[in-house]
Amino acid sequence: MSGYLLERVRWAAAAYADYDRPTVAAIVAAASAAACTASERLAAAAVAETRMGVAADKAERNRACALAKQDDFVSPRIDASRKVVALPRPAGVVVAHVPATDPVAAVYSTVLSALMTRNAAVVVPDPRAASCITEAAELLAGAAVNAGAPDGIVQVTEEPLTADVEVTHSPGNVPVLVDATADISAAARRIADSKAFDNSLLPTSESVLIAEGAIADALRTAIGDCGGRLLDEDEVRRLRGYLFPDGHLKAEAVGRDAAWIADQAGLRVAPKTRVLVAPLDLVISEEPLAHATPAPVLGMVTAADADRGIRAARAVVRIGGPAHAAVVHSENPGVVADFAAHLPVRQVAVNAGGNSLDAELSPHQLLTWTRIAYAADAPMPSFADVSPWRSPTGPVPAYPRASNDPETSR
Amino acid sequence: MYDYGTFSFESKSEVLARAKTFWNPDKTRFWIDSGVDLVIDRREGYFLWDMSSRRLIDMHLNGGTYNLGHRNPEVMEAISQGMAHFDIGNHHFPSVARTALAQRLVETAPPSISKVAFGSGGGEAIDIALKSARHATGRRKIISIIKAYHGHTGLAVATGDDRFAKLFLADRPDEFIQVPFGDIDAMEHALARGDVAAVIMETIPATYGFPLPPPGYLEATKQLTERYGALYIADEVQTGLMRTGEMWAITKHGIDPDIIVTGKGLSGGMYPITAVLLSDRAARWLDEDGFGHISTFGGAELGCVAGVKTLEITTRPEVRSMVHYIADLFADGLRRVQADHPDWLVGIRQNGVVIGLEFDHPEGAKFVMRELYENGVWAIFSTLDPRVLQFKPGILLGRDLCEDVLDRLEVAVGRAEAAARAGASR
């Protein structure tokens, strides 16, 4: 039973689909401002509720995801030379399954993307973070409606439902390749920072580090200088035993910091340790540390050369299922191009941390374009001042006053 | 062959013939003569199917009985589960189902309301309301409006139009006073002698074609009842249950009535049950003699089960929001239709999804009804003012079906105008 949530949100989506650019911009700005203001408070609330991650990192990420996106996904796009006008059309209702690992930022990002593109959003919270997710979604909903968005444009429900677009924020298996040409110390610092950020809860956080053999030792040392702790064979065995007691990741370890995990696994590490680096022989599916681990634990393999490194990176994505992103550290554009060409991912970061990537959906995924095309030999009139969209002047829907009510300004 | 399990018919014409023989010859003939040869067969959501398999969109809803659509799946499930435990029950005893529905009704009502009495039909509920008012005040007189319609039982029918009261010699002009709707001076004149038990009024008189109360009229009437010691009875049978975008239309006027009467949609169109919501003053007889009104079927427990589920659905915030969307879309669409036919569709009377469409012809709504029927929509004229079409969208409609109905209405209004102007009146 949907309880008519979906029916109501369809009414809202249909109304919003006709809004014009200035009103959409005002709605997005209002929601964005509300999101910004609550970034720190909701970050702390998320950590308190889930006991995962780092409040300061979450606050930073919340602020980044809350930033007002002023891209125009409303106005018709005119290509006079090709005589084509393209009208953006929202998909309708976006259902976002929001994980406990990255709750508030995921709400911010999805809801703002939906609002930018004139879609309605239904947020389905992970029960472990239901209250901070609900609070974030209702905050944005209220701000949007106060700025003129239709009633019910953002909804929260714990019931499973499907609609026009489904957004899941599942962790991806992200390989990071460091080749022989890379700036080793910079690469080590970025990898350690990214892996430690929010205790590795971001879906774009690196899973497996692949080092070209020639620089592997130097890289290990450099990561050690950045708070990484290289484990020996016995320590890897103990870590694996703790993290994956029955082959599955122990839930209590998700989003915990490196020192806490080391302690639980019976490893002695320095208190300032930020990342546990586990050397692996091979990237194979039965090796749990070769999969995405939402904790500051990084598998590491070496490859004899860049080509073999790229094949190892492909293996990381292959065994991990659909991936969001991959990272390469290299000064050789040929390697970068080969890496990007051979990895089935949407984004490749170069000489950057995985946490710098935008894991969230792109607004483009929430739109279709209706193309108005004129015949090649016919003139196309100017569409410069033409827009089919209209925004209402009052609340949507209007409150149902009696038609003979003098207040009815119709 | 039409097999309905416990009975069957060979054809629709056989049904019509036997309906004349065994049931109601005049009514059967009336509809055939009106060009509406409808025998409802299957029904689901906001659709009806004639025995000929023709589909109709239901914009009549029997005055809101099918607010939630026909055979609403959630209501059906509640009743099916209820049947594993309940039947009508024993009306003499306290009952789990009646108590649960009574409590929920009080919780939805304005603060003046504290008790609930149950009936099985709208007329019975009105009778209970009038009896409660007489008991509370020790007075006999009841004021209603001219062209009022509150049902056909003993007291209810006396409040209404002569057509139904005189037919059965049930008119009682000495006790049942009628005043023109909207005339506050006439109301005061009728109340001023201080011998009136109650004013009973539909918040928007349905059978009279949904004339909207002039701004301030109901509020002033309520004040007069207070001044002269009478009770205010809000008949919300057609206007309640979220049809105006609020649970009870009377609250949109800021009025805390002494009594609210509800029925029709109260049980999702699946089980006959009605209720009278009473203030402390109106409910006194329930302390004095609880057997004062007895009704074997009133508050039947299966009806209460259906009522509890219906109220739960109706009061969801999502549903309230949808009603506002539906009302808004029809407000725009109807204005568009009116702009094309300003001299024909002369009035739009709308409060939420309570809508009356007034046409410039003494029987204008009958023409429109006929054309709508031809175009796959069932909506009915107002019995006591056939210039006005009752146009009653459901409260769970989706936007697509609303737009579909407006498209059909636009065509039907134009064709009806041509037919009426051509003097094709029957």
Side-chain angles (χ1 to χ4, degrees), chain A residues 1-19 149-153 155-157 392 395-408 410, chain B residues 68 72-74 77 212-215 244-246 252 313 316-329 331-332 335 348-353 396-400 402:
Chain A
M1 291 299 167
S2 74
Y4 299 101
L5 179 136
L6 192 55
E7 291 81 351
R8 175 202 195 177
V9 89
R10 287 212 178 283
W11 274 100
Y16 194 38
D18 282 341
Y19 273 46
D151 178 48
I153 194 71
Q155 297 280 299
V156 182
T157 180
V396 174
Y399 183 78
R401 293 177 178 282
S403 53
N404 68 338
D405 185 332
E407 296 286 308
T408 306
R410 291 181 177 286
Chain B
L68 305 183
N72 180 287
E74 290 183 74
E77 194 190 336
L212 297 168
T244 63
E246 298 294 352
K252 291 177 81 173
I313 295 171
R316 288 176 194 163
E318 291 84 3
V319 171
R320 181 172 177 277
S321 176
M322 282 171 68
V323 176
H324 294 193
Y325 273 111
I326 296 164
D328 201 10
L329 186 98
D332 281 346
R335 271 199 304 278
I348 297 170
R349 303 164 173 181
Q350 180 179 6
N351 190 343
V353 292
L396 301 178
L397 280 168
R399 178 161 157 146
D400 285 354
C402 293

Side-chain angles (χ1 to χ4, degrees), chain A residues 295-307:
Chain A
V297 174
L298 184 67
M300 179 172 178
V301 296
T302 53
D305 54 35
D307 279 351

Side-chain angles (χ1 to χ4, degrees), chain A residues 156-236:
Chain A
V156 182
T157 180
E158 287 174 25
E159 294 169 29
L161 52 83
T162 55
D164 306 306
V165 181
E166 295 228 27
V167 183
T168 53
H169 295 260
S170 51
N173 214 16
V174 179
V176 49
L177 171 66
V178 181
D179 84 352
T181 67
D183 177 339
I184 300 303
S185 65
R189 192 183 67 248
R190 292 182 194 120
I191 291 166
D193 286 352
S194 169
K195 192 63 195 168
F197 186 86
D198 201 19
N199 292 338
S200 200
L201 288 175
L202 268 58
T204 52
S205 183
E206 290 87 343
S207 308
V208 179
L209 169 60
I210 301 145
E212 192 171 343
I215 50 86
D217 278 337
L219 184 62
R220 279 190 274 264
T221 306
I223 288 181
D225 293 342
C226 300
R229 166 66 153 74
L230 201 75
L231 306 179
D232 65 26
E233 214 173 307
D234 178 57
E235 287 172 323
V236 170

Side-chain angles (χ1 to χ4, degrees), chain A residues 325-329 336 339 347-354 356-357:
Chain A
V327 185
V328 57
H329 295 267
V336 172
F339 184 81
Q347 303 179 84
V348 171
V350 183
N351 300 336
S356 69
L357 287 167

Side-chain angles (χ1 to χ4, degrees), chain B residues 344-358:
Chain B
W344 170 237
L345 174 50
V346 293
I348 297 170
R349 303 164 173 181
Q350 180 179 6
N351 190 343
V353 292
V354 174
I355 302 172
L357 303 178
E358 181 186 356

